[in-house]
Amino acid sequence: MGNQRISSLPLVSVLLIIFPLLLLVTHSKAQLSTNFYRNSCPNVESIVQAAVKTKFQQTFVTAPATLRLFFHDCFVRGCDASVILASPNGNAEKDHPDDTSLAGDGFDTVIKAKAAVDSNPNCRNKVSCADILALATREVVALTGGPRYTVELGRRDGRVSTKSSVQRKLPHANFNLDQLNSMFSSHGLSQTDMIALSGAHTLGFSHCGQFSKRIYGKQIDPTLNRAYALQLRQMCPLKVDPRIAINMDPTTPRTFDNAYYQNLVQGKGLFSSDQILFTDTRSKGTVQQFASSNTAFNNAFVSAITKLGRIGVLTGNNGEIRRDCTAIN
């Protein structure tokens, strides 16, 4: 019946229905491009690569800090580098409690890469901070042994960054599978994407307060490997210095690999939101697949982080190219 109604319409009416839909599809595909800076700054990727490598050689924290910064940026207001903006009255995204733990080395990586790009006269003020963050993220993944993937470019920088915009936009360490899936699906990311992106916890660290309830209280969290829990108690005694941090991956914390999933199989997920990926039967199979195949994990991660990089992007005149990544021009 539906086809019959459409075919009975005048040709002009049919075109008026279809043409806007084609424009929407074309526009969504044309927003970002792998060769966006081909004419304006053809060396942008090599410039960012060199700057990030220099920063990485100075401190390993560059890797997990930059990767986490990209995720936090994209999940709040889209991938527009608004998380880097500073506010004189402490009202920017970075001032929200969910963002205050972002390591300064991530911000510094983007700032230094931006300075390196702008030091090239042909590139000055032509490359967005949002694109530099996306490229820097790819570089730290590759530098730690992960896949070198193609990065889509063409993002513009956001002009707005508020503390309130972060509220309830980022996953917490105690989320269950339903909460994780709901938050990720709101950005067009599947459960498999969520599990793959969680694999970024193969790098980096966490402060003891984020998981202390799992190792203290009435009993040790039964989903946590008991021997591992006792090790965590030694590293995180009661009234521990809040600055003390623990590696998210206890086996290969400086390598981007699938050990994170192998740890989950052994009950060594640091957060309950990590371990739930294995204990919940709906996600267990994917964890087992990634645990047994680093290639499967890498492929899923590249797909997921590419989708992540498309969230809420500003293009054309919708954003700007910030000369200073930390301030509105």
Side-chain angles (χ1 to χ4, degrees):
M1 291 297 292
N3 289 337
Q4 291 175 357
R5 286 198 296 269
I6 291 177
S7 61
S8 66
L9 290 171
L11 178 60
V12 173
S13 297
V14 174
L15 290 174
L16 287 174
I17 292 171
I18 296 175
F19 188 62
L21 295 176
L22 290 175
L23 282 178
L24 284 173
V25 173
T26 303
H27 178 67
S28 66
K29 290 183 178 178
Q31 282 186 333
L32 301 176
S33 167
T34 57
N35 59 1
F36 185 82
Y37 296 104
R38 177 179 54 192
N39 297 320
S40 59
C41 183
N43 297 326
V44 61
E45 297 200 29
S46 61
I47 296 172
V48 172
Q49 180 180 13
V52 174
K53 184 177 181 179
T54 298
K55 174 68 179 176
F56 177 77
Q57 290 172 338
Q58 294 169 351
T59 171
F60 174 82
V61 177
T62 297
T66 303
L67 183 53
R68 188 165 178 244
L69 186 68
F70 183 56
F71 177 83
H72 278 233
D73 181 51
C74 292
F75 258 45
V76 179
R77 307 188 69 90
C79 307
D80 65 349
S82 57
V83 71
I84 304 175
L85 285 170
S87 169
N89 58 3
N91 191 41
E93 289 175 31
K94 65 195 298 186
D95 300 309
H96 189 277
D98 288 351
D99 279 343
T100 51
S101 62
L102 290 170
D105 285 298
F107 296 93
D108 192 49
T109 299
V110 178
I111 292 168
K112 287 183 175 176
K114 171 69 168 174
V117 170
D118 284 349
S119 68
N120 185 317
N122 296 325
C123 300
R124 186 170 298 127
N125 300 327
K126 294 179 181 177
V127 182
S128 67
C129 301
D131 276 346
I132 289 174
L133 174 55
L135 286 170
T137 300
R138 188 265 305 276
E139 296 307 325
V140 298
V141 169
L143 283 167
T144 51
R148 171 168 287 279
Y149 53 91
T150 301
V151 178
E152 297 173 335
L153 302 169
R155 300 167 189 79
R156 291 292 189 261
D157 296 323
R159 303 182 179 94
V160 178
S161 181
T162 63
K163 185 189 297 186
S164 60
S165 64
V166 183
Q167 195 67 22
R168 293 185 295 277
K169 293 294 177 62
L170 295 168
H172 286 184
N174 61 350
F175 269 20
N176 60 34
L177 189 66
D178 289 329
Q179 290 171 307
L180 290 169
N181 279 336
S182 177
M183 180 166 285
F184 278 72
S185 66
S186 70
H187 295 296
L189 298 168
S190 67
Q191 176 174 284
T192 300
D193 295 328
M194 179 271 292
I195 298 170
L197 289 171
S198 296
H201 284 175
T202 189
L203 301 176
F205 51 85
S206 172
H207 297 285
C208 297
Q210 290 292 318
F211 55 87
S212 60
K213 290 183 180 179
R214 300 189 71 203
I215 58 176
Y216 292 110
K218 292 182 179 179
Q219 65 173 355
I220 293 174
D221 184 335
T223 66
L224 190 60
N225 180 292
R226 185 169 181 81
Y228 180 51
L230 295 178
Q231 289 177 358
L232 291 174
R233 279 189 171 187
Q234 291 181 333
M235 293 184 283
C236 294
L238 291 170
K239 298 182 180 179
V240 65
D241 185 329
R243 294 171 295 182
I244 297 297
I246 304 301
N247 288 325
M248 296 288 293
D249 176 355
T251 55
T252 58
R254 289 175 172 253
T255 305
F256 191 95
D257 57 18
N258 65 335
Y260 166 80
Y261 303 100
Q262 296 170 354
N263 293 332
L264 296 186
V265 172
Q266 298 173 34
K268 296 180 180 180
L270 192 61
F271 296 161
S272 59
S273 60
D274 292 315
Q275 197 58 50
I276 196 67
L277 301 181
F278 181 72
T279 56
D280 195 304
T281 56
R282 294 171 293 173
S283 50
K284 182 176 182 177
T286 304
V287 170
Q288 291 174 319
Q289 179 190 16
F290 293 168
S292 63
S293 172
N294 196 56
T295 299
F297 163 52
N298 282 344
N299 290 339
F301 180 83
V302 169
S303 175
I305 201 164
T306 300
K307 292 179 186 178
L308 176 68
R310 297 170 182 162
I311 295 174
V313 294
L314 302 174
T315 58
N317 296 323
N318 293 324
E320 64 182 5
I321 302 294
R322 295 206 297 264
R323 294 178 178 86
D324 180 349
C325 290
T326 65
I328 297 293
N329 292 339

